[in-house]
Amino acid sequence: MPRKTRTHTLGSGKGRIANRNLNASLAHGLSVLEVVAAHKEDIPLATLAQSVGLKKTITWRLVHTLVQLGYVRQDPKTRHFRPAPRVLSLGYSYFDGLDLRQLAAPFLDDLATRFNEAVNLAVLDGDEVIFLERIGSSHIISINLHIGSRLPLYSTSLGRALICEMPKEWLRAYMGRLTSDQRARDYLNAGEKILPKILEETRRLGYALNDQELVNGLRAVASPIRDATNEIIGAVGVGAPSSRVSLTELRRNIAREVISTAAKISMALGYKKI
């Protein structure tokens, strides 16, 4: 069933006077483009005209112009309309001007609002995680981390999300560097199979867990962020005290939303799931 769309009008009377500097044709044309882009299926002219609140003749001229400019495509058989690839450039041009932190901000805010727990955005820096953004919770008990904080890769959910698809050669060299870190011994035991097993699970599930491994009483979950080339360039995660969030809650509810948030940020960066 086609998605319901909002009717776009310019108003009348005093409202029209207040908008006397508004170019009505441009406004109507953008309304047409918005409706076509929002529609899940190809949209016929009559439905399009009804959605934007204009006569069919006027709507036809506007959508025909968008077709000629390459923003809308018309099916030669059904005569219905759909977005053309050029319309994507409008969004990409905006996102290209943002860095990861700016682009991710609204998605991080939404995630923080959902759970009222600490939300983190991090990237890889050498053998460490570095925090680009952190939204704390309003709870009295919170974790003392901030933008610029650095943590190990192997013992954090953010770190595991960042390196879960690294080549075997990189992982082998990384584990070799960990032999001098006494805190990493547990991850290098059993013939150095523990960390690779954790990363394999992260790839399979789409998220990484940390159950009080880095800090006693802290649980966290994170998911990788990908760019247009499918490369992992960051990770988003939620951390919370074990006294407030059970491991079951982390897996069943929070992990799903973290994966969704990472996917939204990835799509904003141009990533397309194959």
Side-chain angles (χ1 to χ4, degrees), residues 101 105 108-109 112 117-122 130-137 141-149 151 158 218-220 235-241 244:
R101 183 181 175 190
L108 301 180
D109 287 337
E117 298 293 352
V119 172
N120 304 301
L121 175 69
I130 183 169
F131 284 62
L132 287 187
E133 186 59 273
R134 178 172 172 79
I135 303 175
S137 73
I141 301 175
S142 61
I143 309 302
N144 186 25
L145 290 170
H146 52 80
I147 297 173
S149 290
L151 294 175
L158 288 165
L218 173 65
R219 292 189 172 115
V236 59
V238 170
R244 278 202 305 264

Side-chain angles (χ1 to χ4, degrees), residues 258-273:
V258 168
I259 291 173
S260 175
T261 299
K264 291 174 184 176
I265 298 172
S266 298
M267 287 188 288
L269 287 166
Y271 168 71
K272 294 182 180 180
K273 187 175 182 178

Side-chain angles (χ1 to χ4, degrees), residues 182-228:
Q182 294 298 313
R183 299 168 300 175
R185 286 183 301 177
D186 292 341
Y187 300 91
L188 301 179
N189 291 335
E192 296 189 345
K193 293 182 179 180
I194 295 179
L195 183 57
K197 184 177 180 180
I198 291 173
L199 299 180
E200 190 281 327
E201 182 182 56
T202 299
R203 291 192 297 272
R204 178 171 56 83
L205 297 175
Y207 65 86
L209 281 178
N210 179 316
D211 186 16
Q212 307 183 71
E213 297 169 55
L214 179 68
V215 177
N216 187 36
L218 173 65
R219 292 189 172 115
V221 60
S223 186
I225 296 170
R226 304 172 186 276
D227 65 9

Side-chain angles (χ1 to χ4, degrees), residues 51-262:
S51 298
V52 296
L54 298 172
K55 294 181 179 179
K56 285 178 64 175
T57 53
I58 296 175
T59 304
W60 162 249
R61 288 199 296 270
L62 292 169
V63 74
H64 179 70
T65 300
L66 291 170
V67 170
Q68 295 300 308
L69 293 175
Y71 291 106
V72 173
R73 180 180 297 167
Q74 185 177 31
D75 188 292
K77 294 182 179 179
T78 66
R79 310 301 292 172
H80 296 177
F81 302 96
R82 72 181 69 173
R86 188 176 181 184
V87 76
L88 297 175
S89 65
L90 298 175
Y92 290 155
S93 296
Y94 169 73
F95 287 126
D96 283 345
L98 301 178
D99 60 25
L100 177 59
R101 183 181 175 190
Q102 291 175 307
L103 188 148
F107 303 106
L108 301 180
D109 287 337
D110 182 63
L111 186 60
T113 300
R114 286 174 181 270
F115 297 107
N116 192 23
E117 298 293 352
V119 172
N120 304 301
L121 175 69
V123 295
L124 181 68
D125 187 24
D127 287 347
E128 294 179 310
V129 167
I130 183 169
F131 284 62
L132 287 187
E133 186 59 273
R134 178 172 172 79
I135 303 175
S137 73
S138 63
H139 296 293
I140 296 176
I141 301 175
S142 61
I143 309 302
N144 186 25
L145 290 170
H146 52 80
I147 297 173
S149 290
R150 293 174 177 271
L151 294 175
L153 296 169
Y154 61 86
S155 59
T156 60
S157 59
L158 288 165
R160 293 167 181 173
L162 285 167
I163 65 172
C164 67
E165 294 184 0
M166 283 294 193
K168 291 182 179 180
E169 296 76 14
W170 183 94
L171 184 57
R172 190 179 301 113
Y174 171 61
M175 290 193 295
R177 296 191 295 273
L178 287 179
T179 55
S180 60
D181 185 347
Q182 294 298 313
R183 299 168 300 175
R185 286 183 301 177
D186 292 341
Y187 300 91
L188 301 179
N189 291 335
E192 296 189 345
K193 293 182 179 180
I194 295 179
L195 183 57
K197 184 177 180 180
I198 291 173
L199 299 180
E200 190 281 327
E201 182 182 56
T202 299
R203 291 192 297 272
R204 178 171 56 83
L205 297 175
Y207 65 86
L209 281 178
N210 179 316
D211 186 16
Q212 307 183 71
E213 297 169 55
L214 179 68
V215 177
N216 187 36
L218 173 65
R219 292 189 172 115
V221 60
S223 186
I225 296 170
R226 304 172 186 276
D227 65 9
T229 67
N230 196 31
E231 182 180 354
I232 295 175
I233 52 90
V236 59
V238 170
S242 57
S243 59
R244 278 202 305 264
V245 176
S246 67
L247 192 57
T248 299
E249 168 73 5
L250 203 67
R251 285 185 179 277
R252 287 184 179 177
N253 299 322
I254 299 180
R256 180 174 62 248
E257 295 300 329
V258 168
I259 291 173
S260 175
T261 299

